[in-house]
Amino acid sequence: MTPRRTLPLLLAAAAALALTASAAAAPPTKRLRIDVVDAGTVTLRPRGLVCTGSCDTRVRLGNRIALVATPDAGHELLQWGGACRGQVGPRCVLTVRHPLYVFATFVRIGEGAIPPP
């Protein structure tokens, strides 16, 4: 090959290697699915994604994330479920180690309470 024909091939090969290297350097992510049951929102912090129904996103492996449940007027958070099961209060903090599924259930104020015996 002549030098004129070789240069475009070398440039194309270098560009392909650079693209492959940048794709390989992308940090690993995991799937996060959030479902909101009834009347409220769940906000993913620090990203600011606000879910009112179902949301799917990807989050970096190893990151700590916070989910904040906010009930609509006249409603309250009944419970967290999925990866946040057992969390008390409107905030759930998780470290991303694998794909995560989370849901927040809201009810009308007073409907979620268990009456005393």
Side-chain angles (χ1 to χ4, degrees), residues 1-75:
M1 278 191 189
T2 65
R4 284 187 178 185
R5 290 186 186 178
T6 307
L7 184 58
L9 292 175
L10 289 174
L11 291 175
L17 284 173
L19 182 60
T20 302
S22 67
T29 62
K30 295 295 179 182
R31 180 181 182 209
L32 170 63
R33 178 176 172 91
I34 303 168
D35 284 330
V36 177
V37 181
D38 209 353
T41 61
V42 172
T43 304
L44 171 61
R45 307 270 168 131
R47 190 179 296 168
L49 175 69
V50 178
C51 297
T52 57
S54 292
C55 294
D56 270 300
T57 190
R58 299 201 62 87
V59 288
R60 277 192 187 170
L61 184 64
N63 274 13
R64 263 176 86 85
I65 59 170
L67 301 164
V68 180
T70 306
D72 288 351
H75 290 77

Side-chain angles (χ1 to χ4, degrees), residues 87-101:
Q87 295 287 322
V88 178
R91 190 174 170 168
C92 172
V93 177
L94 301 168
T95 300
V96 180
R97 294 190 175 97
H98 46 77
L100 297 169
Y101 171 67

Side-chain angles (χ1 to χ4, degrees), residues 100-111:
L100 297 169
Y101 171 67
V102 172
F103 66 90
T105 303
F106 298 93
V107 294
R108 288 193 180 280
I109 292 176
E111 289 182 7

